[in-house]
Amino acid sequence: MARFTGSVAALAAVLSVAAAGSALAQGPAVDWKKQEAELLKHHRALIQIDSSSPPGNETRVVDYLKKVFEAEAIPTETFALKPMRANLVARLKGNGSKRPLLLMAHTDVVGVQKEKWPVDPFGAVLKDGYIWGRGSRDDKDKLASNLMVMLLAKRAGARLDRDLIFLAESGEEADPEGVGISYMVNHHFPAIDAEFALTEGGGALIENNRVTSVKIQTSEKVPRRFRLVATGTSGHGSVPRLDNPLTHLSAAVAKVGSFTMPMRLNETTRAYFGKLASISPPDKAQRYRALLGSEPSGDVLSYLAQNEPEHNSMLRTSVVPTILKAGVGPNVIPSQAEATFDVRALPDEDIPQFFAQMTRVVGDPAVKVEPITTNLRPVSAPSKLDSEMYRALEHASAALYPGAVLMPAMSTGATDMAQLRAKGIQAYGIGPPSTQPDTINYGAHSDVERLLESSLYRLAEFTWRATMEVAASK
Ligand SMILES: [Zn+2]
């Protein structure tokens, strides 16, 4: 980290300021052992409400939360485009000297194939130190943890420089009608307007029973889609034609599908690969460091494309064919054939220029590039790495996970932070600690989603520490 370079005296000064800063920033003291039962109760109760979308029925989750807030005299408001897909906002007032902090978590979950689950997916079963169930880590852990932070701040009578806004939003997983974050941002933005936001999207890695790294999501790729449409003359299969759309489309799909956009790092991915190199075994570290140089070798890039596809996707705008549609019968030449492509653009990609480039790559007047413009997430600039919130997350990590390396991350998928960032909110994705096998085999959207019980408690404490550092009056 740049600020730890320089003389020993300067280093000591920085360290003592950091220590004093974090001591000041604790807010009211919390006995975390004593909060576990209540936190677990809320987490389990939230999992037990089936809010898989579609249809969602998130209002049932909202009703639960509302009751809990009302019992503690915390005012709430609900905002619903569709009656059963409501969003809930709760607010603790600060003195207004700083702009609010938004604690956000979504209330819907993805559906389940019940027969594939070893336990009841909506049972919130406790087994082997885990809480099992749909939503246990996506996203009812953040929902319960944010709820707990609000309750604790209220009970402790915390004096706040900023309002704490709690948002439970619907329709994160599936929202064709725009009932969730889009509805809140487009129609009720004053209710959630904030300087900073914390929500899902990050995480922490457990190796050999300790947290070794913490990921904070500060940026995400921008989803875009397009179709290649080839047109020609229809006719009988016995009479070959040079303008057969299947032939033209296939050639175009092959060209676009094997085309790679140039590699480009941004502040987030540069910091990410640098930090990752510092905690990786030598061969991996060498490859990550090569990415930071001016021209990484083709060997490094093809190794990543082959073996670390997610890292490869972080390097460039990706273009992936996902659907082919053509043909009506084995003896019929159709007049049209089309292919759909999923594009995940780097946050600073020039989209119109990108589509113009695709047309050049195709290089065939019989095949048109048609952008798909429905349900677009907005383009959003990365959140800052030198903000008060990011520093607070660094301090929370240092206090809770000593020795762990904290790194910013750009996710290849999209989240509700896109809408917030597009409105200028500095949004950061956090998450509970998890082992790699758990993340791979028992992760979000899997048939056996589960969360370490201890990770729920650590997530809440992590969120509390970061929240109090930026919001508690000094
Ligand atoms: Zn989620």
Side-chain angles (χ1 to χ4, degrees), residues 106 108 137-139 172-173 200 444-445:
H106 63 86
D108 60 331
R137 48 197 283 168
D138 182 16
D139 191 29
E172 194 275 339
E173 303 288 1
E200 66 174 348
H445 299 208

Side-chain angles (χ1 to χ4, degrees), residues 35-48 64 68 124 144 147-148 151 155 456-457:
Q35 314 308 325
E36 291 182 357
E38 185 181 0
L39 189 46
L40 181 62
K41 181 188 84 179
H42 291 312
H43 185 238
R44 294 187 69 204
L46 291 165
I47 293 169
Q48 285 162 356
Y64 176 88
V68 176
L147 172 67
M148 207 63 213
L151 298 179
R155 288 173 196 162
L456 175 68
Y457 309 140

Side-chain angles (χ1 to χ4, degrees), residues 83-163:
M84 281 315 290
R85 307 205 70 182
N87 302 278
L88 178 101
V89 171
R91 187 183 287 257
L92 289 176
K93 295 293 279 177
N95 62 24
S97 60
K98 293 178 176 175
R99 297 182 54 225
L101 165 61
L102 178 67
L103 299 171
M104 177 170 98
H106 63 86
T107 47
D108 60 331
V109 295
V110 291
V112 297
Q113 275 183 286
K114 223 168 182 164
E115 65 283 4
K116 301 249 170 103
W117 283 68
V119 293
D120 175 359
F122 300 104
V125 173
L126 298 180
K127 193 161 73 89
D128 309 326
Y130 290 87
I131 308 145
W132 300 64
R134 176 59 85 227
S136 56
R137 48 197 283 168
D138 182 16
D139 191 29
K140 287 172 173 172
D141 53 337
K142 268 75 76 189
L143 198 57
S145 154
N146 291 349
L147 172 67
M148 207 63 213
V149 167
M150 295 290 285
L151 298 179
L152 289 171
K154 167 79 179 179
R155 288 173 196 162
R159 292 193 305 113
L160 302 169
D161 285 343
R162 346 173 159 258
D163 289 7

Side-chain angles (χ1 to χ4, degrees), residues 276-327:
L276 193 59
S278 76
I279 53 169
S280 297
D283 53 329
K284 283 186 170 221
Q286 201 180 0
R287 279 191 290 271
Y288 299 142
R289 277 196 201 98
L291 294 176
L292 307 176
S294 56
E295 246 178 77
S297 74
D299 282 357
V300 167
L301 296 178
S302 65
Y303 180 92
L304 293 178
Q306 189 78 247
N307 301 290
E308 298 180 24
E310 193 162 343
H311 282 153
N312 180 49
S313 177
M314 287 169 67
L315 301 177
R316 54 172 60 84
T317 292
S318 62
V319 191
V320 173
T322 50
I323 304 173
L324 284 172
K325 269 201 263 178

Side-chain angles (χ1 to χ4, degrees), residues 203-275:
L205 176 65
I206 302 174
E207 290 174 307
N208 302 318
N209 296 318
R210 60 173 282 265
V211 173
T212 52
S213 63
V214 175
K215 261 194 214 178
I216 305 295
Q217 202 257 45
T218 54
S219 179
E220 58 191 58
K221 294 181 87 177
V222 183
R224 287 294 177 265
R225 280 173 195 159
F226 69 90
R227 264 187 293 266
L228 290 183
V229 181
T231 46
T233 316
S234 62
H236 200 283
S238 66
V239 184
R241 286 182 172 278
L242 294 181
D243 67 349
N244 185 321
L246 268 71
T247 315
H248 284 262
L249 181 72
S250 310
V253 169
K255 281 192 231 169
V256 174
S258 55
F259 178 78
T260 13
M261 291 288 286
M263 175 199 149
R264 193 164 71 242
L265 296 180
N266 57 33
E267 187 193 21
T268 291
T269 50
R270 181 165 288 280
Y272 171 78
F273 284 112
K275 298 268 178 141

